[in-house]
Amino acid sequence: MSALILILLFTSNALSQINCSRYYPLEEGTTLQYTSINHKGKLESTADYIVSKVENSTSGTVAEMTFNLSDKKGKEIMQSSYNISCSGTGIKIDFQSLMASAMMKQYQEMEIEVDLTGTDIELPNDLTIGQELMDANITMTISMAGMNMKTIVNMMNRKVEKKENVTTSSGSYECFVIYSENESQVMGIKKTSPSRLWLTEGVGMVKQESYKSNGDLLSTTTLTKFNN
């Protein structure tokens, strides 16, 4: 993990690295691989992440996460990046940079304007069972040929449900389980998709399940490789 504040003494710097982010390994060169399967257990996609750049300042640490998404046949679908900032009490995932990098590449050769506003996804270092977490949201307005299309995504009702042990091909982990509801509004039509996230110290996400609005499982994503 990266330091909150760069200090000249190595020992003090190492201690700061531990305290900056308890859950996310913000150390340059760290790699993670996630595999997603559908509700029938069939492979859907693979995502390879790397902490590509880390910058430290007196206000905290910012890490750039670069990822490659491949389909079930191994063909690359998308490459993009987003930022994670760490202040010492926890991390914030820049929802806007995550959406913007993907959207801009998709529309860069088209005469389309994209405007993004919203809030970051926050995750404190100190998690406890029953704890309620801050909501996050993003509003994306696409302007094309005099027409505007607005999409709103709300990550809400976030709560730490319990602790649970999880084993994947990358190892065995003790995790906090975080529940959330992801509500999307496109042209006034709402759709809600609940999800659960399994989170462990020093690694981050180990597992995620997405569900239909009735609770039926849609897909499962698990950590299959980890190297720091």
Side-chain angles (χ1 to χ4, degrees):
M1 289 169 245
S2 301
L4 171 61
I5 301 173
L6 280 178
I7 303 174
L8 293 176
L9 295 175
F10 175 79
T11 54
S12 297
N13 183 45
L15 183 60
S16 295
Q17 287 178 336
I18 293 170
N19 291 335
C20 185
S21 173
R22 179 174 295 175
Y23 295 97
Y24 281 78
L26 305 184
E27 182 177 346
E28 195 167 308
T30 297
T31 60
L32 308 97
Q33 183 184 80
Y34 292 95
T35 300
S36 297
I37 59 174
N38 60 24
H39 67 286
K40 295 181 179 179
K42 294 185 178 181
L43 178 66
E44 285 191 329
S45 63
T46 302
D48 291 285
Y49 290 77
I50 184 170
V51 182
S52 52
K53 183 170 63 176
V54 177
E55 294 183 351
N56 301 286
S57 69
T58 55
S59 60
T61 297
V62 177
E64 181 183 66
M65 298 289 294
T66 300
F67 69 94
N68 290 279
L69 181 65
S70 303
D71 64 16
K72 61 184 179 181
K73 295 182 179 179
K75 182 180 179 181
E76 184 177 295
I77 301 172
M78 181 179 67
Q79 182 182 64
S80 192
S81 62
Y82 60 95
N83 295 329
I84 296 178
S85 60
C86 178
S87 63
T89 58
I91 61 103
K92 292 183 179 181
I93 300 175
D94 188 342
F95 210 161
Q96 292 188 55
S97 73
L98 176 60
M99 294 290 290
S101 57
M103 291 299 104
M104 295 311 160
K105 287 184 178 182
Q106 182 178 352
Y107 298 129
Q108 63 183 352
E109 297 181 356
M110 304 168 67
E111 294 183 2
I112 297 176
E113 294 183 4
V114 180
D115 180 63
L116 294 166
T117 59
T119 59
D120 296 336
I121 304 170
E122 296 187 23
L123 184 73
N125 278 337
D126 297 323
L127 295 178
T128 57
I129 296 172
Q131 182 180 2
E132 295 183 358
L133 305 178
M134 295 288 292
D135 292 349
N137 66 79
I138 188 167
T139 298
M140 178 174 64
T141 302
I142 298 175
S143 300
M144 178 179 62
M147 298 179 61
N148 292 331
M149 184 176 73
K150 182 179 288 187
T151 299
I152 301 172
V153 179
N154 295 311
M155 182 180 287
M156 56 192 189
N157 298 326
R158 299 174 68 213
K159 185 177 181 179
V160 182
E161 288 186 322
K162 56 184 176 180
K163 269 192 168 182
E164 191 170 270
N165 293 323
V166 174
T167 298
T168 75
S169 60
S170 63
S172 297
Y173 311 92
E174 182 181 38
C175 302
F176 278 108
V177 182
I178 300 174
Y179 173 84
S180 67
E181 294 174 357
N182 305 303
E183 179 189 77
S184 61
Q185 301 180 40
V186 182
M187 302 298 287
I189 301 174
K190 291 185 180 181
K191 183 179 179 180
T192 302
S193 302
S195 68
R196 283 185 173 86
L197 171 72
W198 281 257
L199 191 74
T200 193
E201 291 191 24
V203 177
M205 189 185 91
V206 171
K207 178 181 172 181
Q208 184 175 35
E209 290 184 347
S210 299
Y211 311 96
K212 297 179 181 179
S213 57
N214 63 2
D216 290 345
L217 182 66
L218 272 175
S219 63
T220 302
T221 300
T222 55
L223 178 68
T224 45
K225 293 181 182 179
F226 174 71
N227 184 14
N228 70 338

